[in-house]
Every structure is written in structure tokens, then in C-alpha cells.
Amino acid sequence: MLLPTDLHGHTLFSDGRATPEAYVDFRREIGMRVIAVADHDVLAAVPRAARAAADARILFLPALEVTSFLHFGTDRAEQFHVLAYFPARFAMLPLLRQTALFRRGERVQAKWKAFVLAWMEGISEAERRAIDPGGEFEALAPADFPALQSMLDRIASRTALFPAFREHHVRFWEEDRELFGWTPEEAIECIRQDGALDVVAHPGRYRDKERTRAVLLRASGIEVYTSRHKAEVAESFRAFAEEHKKCWTASSDDHQNARYVKPAAGTPVSTIERILGRALPIEAILSA
């Protein structure tokens, strides 16, 4: 049995534009029954999204999209993303804070703030004032500092620096071996040690097909239906998942910067139950 799901999308805490509340409300309106926010490398949106989902009577799964690399530091380097899905109880902040991925997310936020402020030191005073009119950036806590999409929008709307910053910002991932230089297999191991389920995100996008296949065989799950996969690609990954007895999921990978693409199918109940670690009351979920 498949459930209507959207298990991969982003908010203003990474490279999306929606608040956690707006993200949840939109999915309530289109009839989703199980959802997740999967921001890049941070779990900051989880508490707010979980509260909104509870009010909307939607099952919410704490999640994030972990950045790793194939061939880090070489001319073949490419980002490789692994989704981490936690049991619903991890929406409680005291428990969430105990995970290695939450603490890593805090380091990501702190380094992002330092990265942007260092870049701003190289632009003119007028440009700095345009981007940060109140001069508040320095005093902001890393968790409150504008994340990637918010910063891109701010720069694009107030200065002519957007092309320069867009080119510069990729260095944040490509030059930080401590946070992003691990392999997908190392990221998968961390996800499992935290008590979450690892699912390879949009596997059709990666250039190194041989390494991708090796990671897929190692991973617990595969994101089959996503806006990044054409129908025939999605069906090939579904067949692979079923042949190798992998969990699989259906998501939009929504960033709120293009037309929303509803997943072509739902996610199997067995996948949701694997994440939760318990049986799912199907009738209650569908009638909520």
C-alpha cells in the first residue's frame, strides 16, 4: 500500500523560501498524509514544522539532506546527498539535540555565517549596507543568520553582486573537508548511528554511475519518485529498489523556486513503518 507523501523539500533554513509553517500548510492543502522537511545539513526547521504538522493532523518525520562528496578535492568532485529520516519522537528538541547530525548542523550554520561575513568584507561599504541595512548580521546567532536562499534573494534584490556571490558560494562546500569531505558511505554510517534511516536522494543526478550503484547497494533506501527524475528513470530505480529489497520513497524536492511537482506515486507503508520503528495505524492516518 502506498501513502500520499512528500518526504523531501526545503525551507528558508537552507535553500528554500517557505517558513516551516507554510511548507506544512501547503502539503495539508494538497492532501499529503506523511511529510518531512529535509533541509540541507540542518535540522533547525524540525521543531516548528512538527508543531504545524501536529495541528494539521499530518504525520511528520524529522529529516535532513546530508551533503557528502564523490571524489572530494579532485576535478571529478561532485556532491552526493543522502537523506536521513528519524522516528517521529525525534521531533522533540531535547532528543534531537543529542544526535551527531544536529550538532553537525549547528557547526554548518556557524561556518556559513563566518563564510558570508568574510565575503562581505571584500565588498564596498554601500554594498554591505544594502545587504544588511540595520547592521545586524554580526550580532545574529548562527541559527538566525540568513541561510543560502535567503542570502541569495537578499543580494539579488539589493545589489548587482548576485553573479559574483553565486559563483563564490560553492566554495563553502567544496573547500570544507571537515564538514563535507566525507564519502556517502561515511555519511550513511553516521545516519545509522544516530538512529535514522538512510535514503539516497535523487540518484539519477550523479555523474559517476559506477560509484552511485555501489552506494545504492550499501544504502537502506532510494528516493524513487522526485521532480529530478523523469518517469522512466523513476521506474528503473523502483525496479532496482524492489529487486534489492530496499526501502523507497516519493518526494518533490521542492525549493519553492519553480512550479511544484507532486510525486507521481506515494511511499510504501513498509518504508514509513521502517522509519518509525513501529506499525502504522493506516485507517487513522488516512482519515485524519
Side-chain angles (χ1 to χ4, degrees):
M1 181 178 183
L2 304 180
L3 290 176
T5 63
D6 191 350
L7 300 181
H8 179 186
H10 304 276
T11 73
L12 50 72
F13 282 95
S14 65
D15 57 348
R17 291 189 170 98
T19 65
E21 293 79 11
Y23 179 99
V24 170
D25 191 55
F26 174 75
R27 283 151 183 80
R28 176 192 60 78
E29 291 177 353
I30 63 174
M32 293 298 174
R33 302 314 311 150
V34 186
I35 67 171
V37 168
D39 278 321
H40 288 281
D41 300 297
V42 299
L43 287 155
V46 164
R48 286 172 53 180
R51 287 193 293 271
D55 291 342
R57 301 178 68 191
I58 297 173
L59 178 58
F60 179 79
L61 301 175
L64 78 163
E65 187 175 12
V66 179
T67 301
S68 64
F69 266 84
L70 301 179
H71 315 297
F72 186 86
T74 74
D75 58 3
R76 299 179 63 201
E78 59 174 318
Q79 289 190 25
F80 195 106
H81 296 157
V82 184
L83 295 153
Y85 294 103
F86 289 87
R89 66 181 183 277
F90 280 81
M92 296 184 294
L93 198 52
L95 185 57
L96 197 63
R97 281 179 170 151
Q98 294 177 25
T99 65
L101 287 170
F102 184 90
R103 296 191 296 272
R104 176 177 176 271
E106 291 182 316
R107 297 199 305 275
V108 169
Q109 289 173 317
K111 287 201 170 186
W112 172 253
K113 175 184 174 180
F115 177 84
V116 173
L117 292 180
W119 175 80
M120 289 178 63
E121 291 177 0
I123 63 178
S124 70
E125 179 64 29
E127 289 166 332
R128 287 196 294 273
R129 286 199 302 270
I131 296 170
D132 181 20
E136 300 171 347
F137 276 7
E138 186 70 43
L140 288 175
D144 298 324
F145 194 83
L148 174 58
Q149 189 60 57
S150 298
M151 185 57 63
L152 288 170
D153 288 344
R154 184 182 288 253
I155 291 171
S157 64
R158 301 180 186 184
T159 73
L161 295 169
F162 178 73
F165 184 75
R166 182 176 57 184
E167 181 177 348
H168 173 78
H169 88 274
V170 299
R171 296 176 55 192
F172 180 69
W173 293 271
E174 293 181 348
E175 297 181 3
D176 193 329
R177 183 174 292 276
E178 177 201 357
L179 284 176
F180 304 114
W182 55 1
T183 66
E185 290 87 351
E186 289 169 329
I188 286 170
E189 185 59 30
C190 178
I191 291 167
R192 293 176 180 178
Q193 288 180 359
D194 265 353
L197 182 76
D198 56 284
V199 174
V200 173
H202 39 65
R205 68 168 282 184
Y206 306 116
R207 299 188 301 272
D208 189 333
K209 302 305 181 185
E210 183 178 350
R211 278 288 285 118
T212 298
R213 178 179 171 81
V215 177
L216 290 176
L217 290 171
R218 167 70 173 146
S220 300
I222 302 172
E223 185 177 55
V224 165
Y225 296 102
T226 165
S227 59
R228 294 179 181 264
H229 286 169
K230 293 181 179 179
E232 61 272 21
V233 173
E235 293 309 320
S236 71
F237 281 118
R238 178 169 176 174
F240 181 95
E242 292 173 348
E243 176 186 356
H244 295 280
K245 296 180 171 50
K246 304 289 184 181
C247 297
W248 59 268
T249 63
S251 305
S252 67
D253 196 6
D254 175 34
H255 293 74
Q256 304 92 53
N257 57 9
R259 180 180 65 86
Y260 181 84
V261 178
K262 193 173 183 178
T267 293
V269 169
S270 59
T271 295
I272 306 303
E273 292 181 334
R274 173 79 179 273
I275 295 169
L276 293 173
R278 59 176 173 82
L280 196 63
I282 304 300
E283 291 185 6
I285 291 292
L286 294 177
S287 64

